[in-house]
Amino acid sequence: QVQLVESGGGLVQAGGSLRLSCAASGRTFSGYVMGWFRQAPGKEREFVSAISWIGGSTYYADSVKGRFTISRDNAKNTLYLQMNSLKPEDTAVYYCAATRRSWTTFPAHFDSWGQGTQVTVSS
């Protein structure tokens, strides 16, 4: 498995931006489909975005489409999530995850998870 560590969370006002990073180690990063998920208090973990092995394909939840951008740098073993035009409803713990499947967006299909980073958006 690959080990994942998120960073970049914090407190931001509505309309602001944050960039999350996820550093990977342990296995060949480029061999994994990577995803971002989030979990708000009292809610289930939900899919945010995913990116293919070499970054050619990306997919977003409708709730973040047009505001968030996922990217990866395989040379640096790092996954990113640029979050713009943040809303209070984006407040959650954000997790990065990895899977050896060819493509999926289901949390249960992801094998490795980071510890999460808190994002809080104030109104």
Side-chain angles (χ1 to χ4, degrees):
Q1 286 187 341
V2 63
Q3 287 76 49
L4 305 171
V5 178
E6 303 96 335
S7 61
L11 174 63
V12 63
Q13 288 188 333
S17 299
L18 283 174
R19 188 194 196 199
L20 304 184
S21 298
C22 174
S25 63
R27 299 294 291 268
T28 304
F29 179 67
S30 60
Y32 290 82
V33 167
M34 300 297 297
W36 286 100
F37 296 81
R38 66 187 182 186
Q39 188 167 18
K43 296 187 177 181
E44 293 186 354
R45 190 168 297 187
E46 65 173 358
F47 168 78
V48 174
S49 183
I51 188 167
S52 61
W53 293 342
I54 58 172
S57 297
T58 58
Y59 188 72
Y60 298 92
D62 287 343
S63 58
V64 306
K65 199 173 296 182
R67 300 187 298 121
F68 290 11
T69 302
I70 190 172
S71 62
R72 66 191 296 167
D73 186 336
N74 288 341
K76 295 183 178 180
N77 288 350
T78 304
L79 174 73
Y80 303 99
L81 184 69
Q82 178 67 44
M83 305 186 295
N84 299 328
S85 302
L86 283 161
K87 304 175 181 180
E89 51 263 45
D90 294 319
T91 295
V93 177
Y94 283 72
Y95 299 89
C96 68
T99 179
R100 295 303 297 266
R101 291 176 179 256
S102 58
W103 185 254
T104 182
T105 62
F106 293 101
H109 292 171
F110 283 76
D111 309 302
S112 301
W113 292 83
Q115 83 289 348
T117 186
Q118 177 71 46
V119 171
T120 303
V121 184
S122 63
S123 57

